[in-house]
Amino acid sequence: MPVLDHGREIEDRWTDLADDAALPAEGGVIVSLERWRAERDALIARGQPVGVRLKSNQLATELVDDLAHLGVVALEFPKFRDGRAFSAARELRERFGYKGEIRAFGHIIPDQYQFLTRLGVDTVVVPADRVGPAWAHALNEISIAYQPALQDHGTVSLLRRHVKAEIKG
Amino acid sequence: MPDTTVPNAHSNQPADAHAGVYRYDEFDKTFIFERVEQFRAQVERRLKGEITEEEFKPIRLMNGLYLQLHAYMLRVAVPYGMLDSTKMRRLARIARVYDKGYGHFTTRQNIQFNWPELKDIPAILHELAEVDMHAIQTSGNCIRNVTTDQFCGAAADELVDPRVYAEILRQWSTLHPEFTYLPRKFKIAISGAPHDRAAVQIHDVGLIAKKNGAGEVGFTVYVGGGLGRTPYLGTKARDFVPVAEIIGYLEAVLRTYNQLGRRDNIYKARIKITVNEMGPEKFIGLIEEEYARLPRQKYYIDPAIVEAIEQHFAPPPWENLPAVSAKFEAAKAADPAFARWTRSNLSAHRAPGYAIATISVKPIGGIPGDIEAEQMEAVADLAERYSFGEMRVTHEQNLVLAHVKQDDLYDLWLALDKIGLGTANAGLISDIIACPGLDYCALANTRSIPIAQQISERFADLDRQHDLGELKIKISGCINACGHHHVGHIGILGVDKKGEEFFQILLGGDATQTAALAEIVGPGFSYDEIVNAVETVVTTFVGLRQPGERFIDTLARTGHAPFKEALYARA
């Protein structure tokens, strides 16, 4: 499925692996949390990049001891209305200092894209029939942010902008 | 330097320059117009079929647009209930141009328009944006409009002006990236005074200002209150959170709820259910853990920000007046109808010679909270003449002019009376809260508005109402409890029994600092019986009361038994 980064389609360097699929000889794979736990040592010993998928009811804390090994954490949106992954992304970055890729997959709409990037999500997996200009557009519709987040691309937060105004005045 | 967007006292200012509303700066204006354009594009994508109705629904809801029984309904945010005359006139214009000439004030201090067309919504939002208004997050599973005390900035017992923190929270919660797809809606109420006029304990989070031993100001935080199908009063999570830390603490509350709140059943998705299923102690423990580890300095509210926002709510230039107005006293003595209005509709103001006037939007037999465009314009004019161009919407669906000179009260009342807004019934039996019910709402089981109208007609005699004293009737047309029946002194709940409307009576609710949930007194009454049943409750009270007792005082003393007896013994 197409993967978007900054609103543009990029080449996906990860293979999303089902629990019963054989490990490919080469290349990065993303596995479920359950498979990661079952095959952790083998996956690390494989010497290839590896990542984990979290379901929306699996909290970021499940991975606290694993993050150093993971090149990507993929957060699932079973329904776009299920906003747990927003907190999971933030916890990964802010609480656990995770520096690897965070991607979102599942049912996501462009109107959520800016929120995701503000919370530290790098890439979004989008079904082929839903790729379009709306995604890139969604990143630029709103230029003001009223609260601190993680990656405020060119936006201004309430808590900073008033202080700036103070200095200017 | 103070924020330069606050008007200078010596410039040519509009008549509502001193109204206690937040005035948008360039950032806010940029944001609000971007948001209007975003919604315009979303409507276009929906019309082109690029997004499904299921996907469009939360988008329109987060812009205040509902689909009701007969038409769309647009709920416009009135942040913490504050309006100036410019805004009120614009609301009147919207009612006239895009709706049927009226609007409806809600229990969340907002205003609803019941008949707009989808194609007009972007234009309406643009008109609102021109006067620093919006409909953002008046619906949807997000943090809703923060509500507060309608007497803020005027009441004598205030520790902090709750508008300052309500505005900070409005900004913080606006398009919050993490908390816009919560399990369910999330309502926050703030009281800046220990006397709670904001019903904070029936909100997902309630904040009440208090001073700690060192004299510092902070908030007591309640979580998990709410009405609906499963009513709960909020549990105290923290006795004291310093004002500067309140956003950080709320981030911890919301993050805990967003991760652990139920998403399998919409009737169990509010934070009150999570708190009570898990046990308040455990849930509060999780909030505390989250709070302890989040980067607090990031959320610390800089005193400079507080100061800048305080400028928007600076007290208007009150005159130095004697505490007693001879003109006011003479008018009361000369006109008993005015004197009666002063007894029910005035509250004490902190400045000598001023009063807080409640404008009843509950004329006898009227629809609670409904107001015509012409009335809105007339109130805007009166507010400019008598109250610095400022008005407040109350959670009891009335309006307040907070800064009226006692000298002006008689002229104000005469003018209000002329436009049907001078009813002397604030806090009395005909000052009824009612949800829209089956007349508008797709969820309702029964009508609600006609019951309110009939009770109001039955007790039309204002002398009788004044004799009965404070008595709050709240009516909901279904168990979702939008009419707050759980906290009515007399609550009425409409239920559907095999296709017929029935109405249960609840007694003893209280939405103030002595908050309590009302209890159902017995089997329901039919549509034709319910008004008689209410009258039975009232006459029972009159027979039992001791001098000086209000209805809830008598009820607390006697218990429900005599009322139950009177209601059901006949059968």
Side-chain angles (χ1 to χ4, degrees):
Chain A
M1 253 189 258
V3 175
L4 303 182
D5 183 353
H6 292 87
R8 286 188 304 274
E9 199 171 335
I10 57 161
E11 196 184 330
D12 192 5
R13 60 194 190 95
W14 297 99
T15 301
D16 206 25
L17 215 57
D19 280 353
D20 55 1
L23 272 174
E26 288 292 316
V29 294
I30 301 175
V31 298
S32 69
L33 178 65
E34 294 74 19
R35 184 164 184 176
W36 167 253
R37 286 189 172 152
E39 301 173 23
R40 187 176 193 269
D41 293 345
L43 286 162
I44 293 170
R46 183 169 166 263
Q48 300 277 338
V50 64
V52 168
R53 288 189 298 273
L54 287 184
K55 291 188 182 306
S56 68
N57 63 354
Q58 294 170 328
L59 302 182
T61 46
E62 303 277 4
L63 291 174
V64 64
D65 298 323
D66 306 302
L67 290 171
H69 301 289
L70 302 180
V72 62
V73 177
L75 303 172
E76 184 184 12
F77 282 77
K79 273 272 173 202
F80 76 104
R81 289 190 305 269
D82 183 342
R84 284 177 278 197
F86 291 109
S87 286
R90 185 169 203 147
E91 295 252 281
L92 285 171
R93 292 277 187 244
E94 197 171 79
R95 181 172 163 196
F96 301 123
Y98 179 63
K99 298 279 195 288
E101 177 182 338
I102 300 180
R103 65 167 49 182
F105 71 102
H107 186 189
I108 300 160
I109 58 176
D111 314 89
Q112 298 175 308
Y113 193 16
Q114 192 178 38
F115 292 163
L116 289 167
T117 60
R118 289 189 61 210
L119 294 170
V121 172
D122 304 293
T123 52
V124 176
V125 183
V126 180
D129 63 345
R130 307 217 83 180
V131 175
W135 292 91
H137 187 63
L139 290 180
N140 295 311
E141 283 173 327
I142 304 287
S143 66
I144 306 290
Y146 281 108
Q147 57 293 106
L150 291 161
Q151 297 176 344
D152 290 332
H153 301 291
T155 59
V156 200
S157 90
L158 157 81
L159 303 177
R160 287 197 302 276
R161 73 179 164 84
H162 277 277
V163 171
K164 276 184 185 163
E166 291 293 311
I167 295 163
K168 257 194 277 172
Chain B
M1 285 295 291
D3 191 320
T4 49
T5 57
V6 173
N8 182 307
H10 302 292
S11 64
N12 282 334
Q13 6 173 282
D16 56 0
H18 290 290
V21 297
Y22 177 78
R23 285 156 212 284
Y24 284 13
D25 61 17
E26 59 185 297
F27 295 96
D28 300 309
K29 284 186 195 295
T30 302
F31 168 77
I32 204 69
F33 284 109
E34 285 176 350
R35 178 70 172 176
V36 171
E37 290 315 306
Q38 182 186 42
F39 188 62
R40 206 186 293 274
Q42 286 163 335
V43 170
E44 278 167 25
R45 274 164 58 218
R46 173 69 197 112
L47 293 174
K48 282 190 211 152
E50 288 177 22
I51 48 173
T52 64
E53 177 55 30
E54 188 210 359
E55 290 168 336
F56 181 59
K57 185 177 169 187
I59 291 170
R60 68 166 159 76
L61 289 178
M62 268 178 262
N63 285 285
L65 190 61
Y66 277 79
L67 193 53
Q68 289 201 326
L69 214 48
H70 311 291
Y72 278 106
M73 178 270 277
L74 181 69
R75 184 182 292 152
V76 175
V78 180
Y80 33 94
M82 300 299 299
L83 285 172
D84 59 29
S85 49
T86 305
K87 293 181 170 66
M88 186 66 110
R89 290 192 184 108
R90 182 57 56 96
L91 294 174
R93 180 185 141 77
I94 289 169
R96 190 176 291 123
V97 175
Y98 301 101
D99 206 289
K100 293 188 178 178
Y102 67 96
H104 175 77
F105 292 119
T106 78
T107 57
R108 307 218 64 257
Q109 302 183 292
N110 291 322
I111 186 166
Q112 292 180 180
F113 295 105
N114 282 313
W115 308 98
E117 289 189 43
L118 179 58
K119 68 172 175 53
D120 290 332
I121 302 298
I124 296 173
L125 295 180
H126 188 91
E127 291 222 14
L128 289 169
E130 287 176 339
V131 295
D132 300 357
M133 292 188 83
H134 60 72
I136 297 169
Q137 289 170 217
T138 56
S139 180
N141 294 336
C142 51
I143 302 169
R144 302 287 190 90
N145 186 26
V146 176
T147 53
T148 191
D149 174 4
Q150 68 267 25
F151 296 163
C152 54
D157 58 348
E158 201 164 88
L159 295 175
V160 291
D161 189 329
R163 290 172 296 185
V164 174
Y165 292 92
E167 174 58 26
I168 288 171
L169 294 184
R170 183 190 74 83
Q171 297 192 18
W172 161 74
S173 63
T174 297
L175 270 57
H176 195 297
E178 189 179 346
F179 306 134
T180 299
Y181 292 88
L182 296 167
R184 197 78 177 85
K185 59 188 167 184
F186 201 92
K187 300 174 181 176
I188 301 174
I190 305 185
S191 170
H195 184 108
D196 175 15
R197 284 172 292 260
V200 308
Q201 281 194 71
I202 60 167
H203 289 76
D204 297 280
V205 161
L207 307 175
I208 298 188
K210 79 171 276 177
K211 274 191 176 149
N212 68 5
E216 295 157 335
V217 180
F219 292 107
T220 301
V221 181
Y222 292 87
V223 299
L227 298 177
R229 296 169 184 236
T230 326
Y232 281 109
L233 295 178
T235 303
K236 191 192 280 188
R238 267 269 190 133
D239 190 57
F240 188 84
V241 176
V243 287
E245 293 181 36
I246 197 65
I247 286 182
Y249 194 80
L250 290 174
E251 286 265 337
V253 173
L254 267 298
R255 185 160 309 139
T256 307
Y257 168 57
N258 190 42
Q259 293 182 100
L260 300 177
R262 285 182 59 173
R263 292 173 188 265
D264 59 326
N265 178 341
I266 93 159
Y267 301 117
K268 297 193 183 297
R270 296 284 290 271
I271 192 173
K272 63 189 175 185
I273 303 290
T274 318
V275 169
N276 289 286
E277 280 185 350
M278 192 179 282
E281 239 167 78
K282 186 169 174 206
F283 190 80
I284 291 162
L286 292 175
I287 294 171
E288 289 294 332
E289 278 173 31
E290 183 65 42
Y291 185 52
R293 68 180 165 239
L294 60 75
R296 290 199 214 181
Q297 68 289 348
K298 196 163 164 176
Y299 302 106
Y300 183 76
I301 308 172
D302 193 305
I305 292 163
V306 176
E307 220 169 281
I309 291 187
E310 275 171 351
Q311 301 292 325
H312 294 261
F313 305 107
W318 297 315
E319 293 172 36
N320 263 325
L321 298 173
V324 178
S325 155
K327 194 177 165 194
F328 174 54
E329 296 302 327
K332 277 198 289 187
D335 187 337
F338 172 61
R340 188 169 55 198
W341 182 78
T342 68
R343 285 196 295 275
S344 51
N345 290 45
L346 295 185
S347 303
H349 194 283
R350 67 170 70 146
Y354 282 84
I356 304 172
T358 296
I359 299 173
S360 169
V361 191
K362 315 283 178 69
I364 299 302
I367 296 176
D370 268 19
I371 186 165
E372 290 167 10
E374 292 70 28
Q375 290 175 314
M376 291 188 221
E377 281 160 350
V379 171
D381 292 346
L382 292 171
E384 284 186 351
R385 201 172 315 146
Y386 298 120
S387 195
F388 303 99
E390 181 201 280
M391 292 137 285
R392 292 108 185 269
V393 182
T394 81
H395 83 271
E396 292 180 321
Q397 302 179 284
N398 290 315
L399 290 168
V400 160
L401 298 187
H403 311 292
V404 185
K405 279 192 250 180
Q406 291 182 16
D407 281 353
D408 292 335
L409 285 166
Y410 189 48
D411 293 337
L412 169 66
W413 176 73
L414 288 173
L416 287 172
D417 206 39
K418 208 178 281 178
I419 55 170
L421 295 173
T423 312
N425 64 348
L428 305 181
I429 193 168
S430 61
D431 185 4
I432 298 168
I433 291 183
C435 73
L438 211 46
D439 292 286
Y440 293 99
C441 179
L443 301 173
N445 291 129
T446 70
R447 289 167 287 178
S448 177
I449 290 169
I451 304 291
Q453 291 174 302
Q454 288 168 37
I455 293 171
S456 175
E457 297 280 8
R458 178 68 63 91
F459 292 93
D461 178 354
L462 284 170
D463 288 328
R464 185 180 179 201
Q465 291 195 38
H466 277 253
D467 172 64
L468 294 173
E470 186 186 274
L471 211 175
K472 303 199 174 194
I473 294 186
K474 301 181 200 266
I475 309 173
S476 306
C478 80
I479 53 177
N480 291 312
C482 298
H484 296 186
H485 64 273
H486 297 296
V487 288
H489 297 171
I490 299 175
I492 297 174
L493 166 63
V495 292
D496 174 87
K497 257 204 241 166
K498 294 177 187 160
E500 200 187 333
E501 293 170 291
F502 273 86
F503 297 87
Q504 292 179 331
I505 288 185
L506 297 86
L507 296 177
D510 181 357
T512 68
Q513 70 281 0
T514 48
L517 296 174
E519 287 169 29
I520 292 175
V521 71
F525 297 89
S526 72
Y527 185 81
D528 294 329
E529 293 167 340
I530 181 65
V531 179
N532 286 335
V534 169
E535 188 158 30
T536 300
V537 171
V538 170
T539 49
T540 305
F541 154 63
V542 171
L544 291 168
R545 70 178 165 183
Q546 291 175 356
E549 276 187 342
R550 298 169 303 164
F551 175 80
I552 45 165
D553 301 327
T554 304
L555 182 72
R557 181 171 54 76
T558 66
H560 288 202
F563 293 91
K564 206 169 175 169
E565 170 86 17
L567 281 169
Y568 300 105
R570 288 172 299 171

